[in-house]
Amino acid sequence: FEFRPTGMTLIFPVLRTMNTAQIIWDAKAFDLVYYELVLAGFVVTYVVLEARSCWRTGMAYFLISWNYLSLFNYGLFLAGFIFRLTPYAEFLSGRFPPPEDEFVNFDHAFWAAQQWTNCMAINSIVVWVAAFRYLTFIPFMKSFMVIISHAIGPLVAVVAMFMLILFSFAIAYLLAFGAGVYDFRNLEVTIYSMLRALLGMDSFDLMWDENRLLGPLFYFLWTILGLFIMFSMIIVVLCQTISEHSGGDDVFAEFNKAVRTVGAPFIITLNSITAKVKPALARRRKSSLFRK
């Protein structure tokens, strides 16, 4: 329960619901597990290949930053499969279905099934981010990854500065508007509301009604600091990194060369069509002038 200063009471029920195929071993669950076993086979194959690579390279394996992302990826897969098998272990122990005169708590099984989906959700992002590792054969992507690797340090500093500004403004918003504006009822929700405000989903009208002095003032300051200045600093960091490590605009030279190479057949075809069409259009224009 949450008791608001205005007298209202908010109720937050926590009910875990889950597809029975994820917790009960039956025919429907077997169809689902079949595809999961295929995924497990791919994961085991990649783990074996990664282990062979680590064995061959030795300690040099840990000098490559991409390998840490791969290890994190495999760790999430391992944790996910452990969570995946936990509900089946509980239900196969003979406690399901529960007796009519006994309460059996299956919250742990539902929690484990939920953590399986959470691990897979996080891992889906990690897998696609790791795919950038295999795009470095493209000249532009190679230059892009070099720039990002050199800009990590300054970008972390900018993000830390942004978090400090966000936290300070969140406290100010909570003190100024927390009593009357629902979007600023506690610190966590206030931070989410301020991040949404950067995307245009603000509560300016409610802030104006609550406090006509601090409402416009905080809105103006947060928009200037949080949006324009901080995002501009990120662009400045990237541009400075490009100029320092890639010779200015030369970072795009390879990309432009690749684009011209790939697009050359299309440009030649377009020029040939234009060369044929232009005389026809010129003759048609002359004939129309003679007719007039």
Side-chain angles (χ1 to χ4, degrees):
F1 296 91
E2 179 181 344
F3 298 96
R4 300 186 62 199
T6 55
M8 297 176 60
T9 303
L10 301 178
I11 302 176
F12 298 95
V14 179
L15 300 175
R16 299 187 189 275
T17 58
M18 192 65 56
N19 188 350
T20 57
Q22 294 185 348
I23 57 178
I24 303 175
W25 187 261
D26 55 10
K28 183 179 180 182
F30 180 79
D31 295 337
L32 183 63
V33 171
Y34 173 78
Y35 297 102
E36 295 173 354
L37 290 177
V38 174
L39 174 62
F42 281 112
V43 173
V44 171
T45 302
Y46 289 131
V47 169
V48 171
L49 294 176
E50 200 73 19
R52 290 181 58 187
S53 175
C54 180
W55 178 264
R56 291 176 178 177
T57 57
M59 294 303 298
Y61 175 86
F62 298 98
L63 299 178
I64 302 175
S65 57
W66 284 108
N67 291 335
Y68 290 97
L69 186 63
S70 298
L71 294 176
F72 179 67
N73 180 21
Y74 301 142
L76 282 177
F77 272 121
L78 177 61
F81 285 120
I82 292 175
F83 285 127
R84 184 68 182 91
L85 297 176
T86 300
Y88 290 141
E90 290 200 14
F91 282 88
L92 290 177
S93 62
R95 298 196 304 163
F96 188 87
E100 297 181 357
D101 57 347
E102 180 182 355
F103 172 76
V104 180
N105 187 9
F106 292 109
D107 182 71
H108 180 66
F110 280 84
W111 178 85
Q114 182 65 50
Q115 301 316 307
W116 151 258
T117 57
N118 291 341
C119 289
M120 291 300 102
I122 298 174
N123 224 1
S124 63
I125 300 176
V126 175
V127 168
W128 287 106
V129 171
F132 282 98
R133 177 180 183 177
Y134 305 100
L135 296 178
T136 54
F137 68 93
I138 302 176
F140 172 75
M141 290 301 301
K142 183 178 180 180
S143 302
F144 176 76
M145 297 306 299
V146 170
I147 292 171
I148 295 298
S149 63
H150 285 93
I152 286 295
L155 287 177
V156 170
V158 172
V159 172
M161 187 184 305
F162 174 78
M163 296 304 296
L164 289 176
I165 295 176
L166 174 63
F167 185 73
S168 62
F169 268 89
I171 296 177
Y173 271 62
L174 178 63
L175 294 175
F177 314 111
V181 181
Y182 183 73
D183 290 341
F184 308 117
R185 59 188 182 273
N186 56 52
L187 184 60
E188 180 184 359
V189 177
T190 300
I191 293 176
Y192 297 151
S193 299
M194 295 179 64
L195 293 176
R196 293 176 60 210
L198 296 179
L199 302 177
M201 297 178 288
D202 56 74
S203 305
F204 177 76
D205 294 336
L206 299 176
M207 294 165 57
W208 171 268
D209 295 337
E210 182 69 17
N211 193 323
R212 297 198 175 187
L213 173 62
L214 297 181
L217 178 62
F218 284 176
Y219 181 82
F220 177 78
L221 291 177
W222 171 243
T223 303
I224 296 297
L225 291 176
L227 183 60
F228 296 106
I229 294 181
M230 298 306 300
F231 286 175
S232 298
M233 290 181 64
I234 294 177
I235 296 175
V236 168
V237 168
L238 293 177
C239 293
Q240 184 178 1
T241 305
I242 291 175
S243 62
E244 290 179 355
H245 299 278
S246 302
D249 294 335
D250 293 340
V251 66
F252 298 104
E254 294 181 348
F255 176 71
N256 293 331
K257 181 179 178 180
V259 171
R260 288 195 299 268
T261 302
V262 175
F266 300 98
I267 296 175
I268 294 174
T269 303
L270 181 62
N271 291 335
S272 62
I273 295 175
T274 305
K276 295 179 180 179
V277 171
K278 278 186 177 180
L281 292 176
R283 289 193 299 269
R284 184 174 182 181
R285 189 179 299 111
K286 288 182 180 180
S287 62
S288 61
L289 290 176
F290 285 127
R291 290 176 183 175
K292 292 181 178 180

